[in-house]
């Protein structure tokens, strides 16, 4: 499975926002500069996280984005699905019924074993992401990382 680069961006941005002091926010421009990614495109992706209830957008001169709820209540799956959707990347087109090797329809009444295994893998992937919260990510960062993140992010203002 290949996800777009923007998926990496929003996962890192959410983890970055989780490292801020309570009530603090960061603008799309700050986050874009911090990660050297295009600000307009990142802003669109961050808005998708707002619509999904993962982030909250603050207006005004000190506005920006912050987590909409506790880091322990936000999973990697919620972030990924906010920008990439929930559909499976695999779509069975029933090629087993095409070409010289075509099976007759009566032999294809059950789901294709390959489609079944791909769906199983997708469920496992979703389950794995659903089991990891931003708090879990923060717990695995080096102890010095949040202070460094806050310091470098504030330098982009």
């Amino acid at each position: 499975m290949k996800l777009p680069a923007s998926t990496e961006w929003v996962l890192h941005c959410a983890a970055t926002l989780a490292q801020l002091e309570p009530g603090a926010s960061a603008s799309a421009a700050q986050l874009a500069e911090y990660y050297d990614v295009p600000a307009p495109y990142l802003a669109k992706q961050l808005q998708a996280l707002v619509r999904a209830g993962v982030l909250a957008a603050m207006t005004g001169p000190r506005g920006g984005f912050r987590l909409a709820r506790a880091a322990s209540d936000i999973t990697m799956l919620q972030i990924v699905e906010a920008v990439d959707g929930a559909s499976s990347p695999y779509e069975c087109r029933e090629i087993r019924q095409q070409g010289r090797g075509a099976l007759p329809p009566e032999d294809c009444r059950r789901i294709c074993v390959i489609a079944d295994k791909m769906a199983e893998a997708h469920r496992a992937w979703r389950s794995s992401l659903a089991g990891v919260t931003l708090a879990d990510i923060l717990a695995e960062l080096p102890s010095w990382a949040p202070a460094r993140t806050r310091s470098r992010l504030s330098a982009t203002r």
Side-chain angles (χ1 to χ4, degrees), residues 89-102:
Y90 182 80
E91 183 181 337
C92 181
R93 293 182 173 76
E94 280 296 335
I95 67 166
R96 64 188 174 155
Q97 296 182 56
Q98 300 175 35
R100 289 183 60 157

Side-chain angles (χ1 to χ4, degrees), residues 19 143-152:
Q19 295 175 64
S143 60
W144 50 263
R148 178 185 182 276
T149 297
R150 289 190 295 270
S151 171
R152 296 212 173 181

Side-chain angles (χ1 to χ4, degrees), residues 15 18-19 71-72 132-146:
Q19 295 175 64
S72 59
V132 179
T133 67
L134 284 177
D136 296 329
I137 299 294
L138 295 184
E140 292 195 35
L141 294 178
S143 60
W144 50 263

Side-chain angles (χ1 to χ4, degrees), residues 17 20 23-31 42-50 55-59 62-68:
L17 294 171
L20 300 181
S25 64
S27 69
Q30 283 177 291
L31 291 165
L42 178 62
K44 289 179 185 176
Q45 300 302 311
L46 295 174
Q47 284 299 326
L49 294 181
V50 171
L55 299 183
M58 317 302 287
T59 58
R62 308 258 314 143
F65 296 92
R66 62 175 174 75
L67 297 183

